[in-house]
Amino acid sequence: PPEEDDEADSVCVVPLPPSLPPGSQRLTEPYYGVQYERRPIASPLREKLQAARRGERMPAAGGAPAPPLHLPAPNPFFATELEMKEEGEPQPALQAGEASDAVHWHATEVAFGRPKAHVVLHLACPAEAVSDVTHMNLWMAVLDEHLATALYPAALAGLSWSVSRHTSGVVLRVSGFSHKLPRLLLTLADQLLRWDGAAYAPRFEPRREKHVRELQGHFKQTSDRLALYYLHLLLEPTRLPKEAQLEAARAATLDSLAAFHARFVRRLK
């Protein structure tokens, strides 16, 4: 038993049973010498786990209705190829291929000797979509919030992704040390091209209101920053003024965003 000066509250003593069920093992942890047991999962519990994996709900004890709980689906982004690759000679950046609308490059990472992979996909879109700054910004904000939930399994697998607006379209980025990056990129592209009105509806209005507040805050900046802003407008005649963006943000609706999305993907399909 611990002495009175010891922190007795942090001590947990679990007595081991004198006998073990069939198929069990009593082992000792080699570093600290702690004894523990390894037991097979009982058949009834294993059947319940398998049923939960299939989406079935088992009744609770006493015939009560099954609780709304289930095991998560298998993560499609977890790496399954874990064999070691032979080290090759570093190669300079090279142009791996060229198509009518796409050029892709390959380069071996040599900094710090750490393996890594980055895939960047630049989708060029019609000029009218790029110039519609308000709807483009709203779409990126709504899509980013939706992807945080839809692609959460990829984050659990140690992969990262991003979708950002570009001067000539949209840029998709995925990164991580995994052979599942192509799958993540295809999933990201599918989410980008597919309009999910049911998922976007509850996210649109909060994002629109936030965008309106940000535009309103622009005019509360210091005078020198506002002067610099108007100077940039004189130097870039095609740039949409903040006043016009604020008016467009106030008038934007989910239907107008859906129409903008349709114009964007029309050229990409």
Side-chain angles (χ1 to χ4, degrees):
E3 298 293 337
E4 294 182 358
D5 295 338
D6 295 342
E7 297 181 1
D9 292 340
S10 63
V11 177
C12 179
V13 179
V14 180
L16 296 176
S19 60
L20 296 176
S24 301
Q25 292 178 298
R26 179 168 294 170
L27 305 172
T28 301
E29 194 277 329
Y31 192 83
Y32 293 101
V34 178
Q35 294 184 353
Y36 65 97
E37 295 179 6
R38 178 179 294 172
R39 299 185 180 186
I41 300 178
S43 297
L45 177 58
R46 187 165 58 248
E47 293 175 359
K48 291 182 179 180
L49 292 174
Q50 293 173 350
R53 177 70 73 180
R54 296 191 298 266
E56 303 175 9
R57 294 183 178 179
M58 304 297 294
L69 302 175
H70 62 86
L71 294 178
N75 192 329
F77 299 108
F78 279 147
T80 54
E81 298 179 7
L82 305 176
E83 63 274 9
M84 300 296 293
K85 303 292 184 180
E86 294 184 4
E87 183 178 0
E89 292 294 331
Q91 299 180 0
L94 55 94
Q95 184 172 333
E98 184 172 354
S100 58
D101 296 324
V103 177
H104 55 280
W105 298 77
H106 168 268
T108 301
E109 173 60 50
V110 296
F112 307 109
R114 296 187 306 175
K116 63 183 70 173
H118 299 271
V119 181
V120 181
L121 178 62
H122 181 195
L123 300 177
C125 63
E128 64 178 46
V130 178
S131 60
D132 193 345
V133 179
T134 299
H135 283 95
M136 178 65 81
N137 289 336
L138 288 174
W139 181 35
M140 290 293 100
V142 172
L143 180 64
D144 185 74
E145 183 176 329
H146 170 64
L147 291 176
T149 302
L151 296 183
Y152 179 67
L156 293 179
L159 306 179
S160 58
W161 53 266
S162 68
V163 181
S164 58
R165 174 172 166 257
H166 191 267
T167 54
S168 59
V170 174
V171 176
L172 309 181
R173 299 175 184 268
V174 295
S175 62
F177 185 49
S178 173
H179 64 284
K180 294 298 183 73
L181 278 184
R183 180 167 189 167
L184 175 59
L185 182 62
L186 291 177
T187 304
L188 187 61
D190 176 72
Q191 293 286 340
L192 179 80
L193 299 177
R194 180 162 46 90
W195 176 260
D196 192 346
Y200 295 163
R203 295 180 168 91
F204 172 76
E205 190 59 28
R207 287 294 179 175
R208 189 194 68 83
E209 293 180 357
K210 181 180 179 181
H211 188 51
V212 168
R213 291 195 299 268
E214 291 174 348
L215 291 172
Q216 291 174 334
H218 168 79
F219 300 101
K220 299 179 181 180
Q221 299 183 93
T222 58
S223 57
D224 59 325
R225 296 183 64 87
L226 288 175
L228 185 61
Y229 159 71
Y230 287 113
L231 175 61
H232 287 166
L233 284 182
L234 293 176
L235 298 177
E236 302 177 43
T238 59
R239 185 176 181 180
L240 187 65
K242 294 291 185 180
E243 294 85 350
Q245 295 183 39
L246 178 58
E247 182 179 356
R250 286 171 172 167
T253 63
L254 185 62
D255 292 337
S256 66
L257 186 60
F260 166 81
H261 178 269
R263 294 195 302 270
F264 175 83
V265 302
R266 190 176 299 123
R267 278 275 304 274
L268 301 177
K269 290 186 176 180

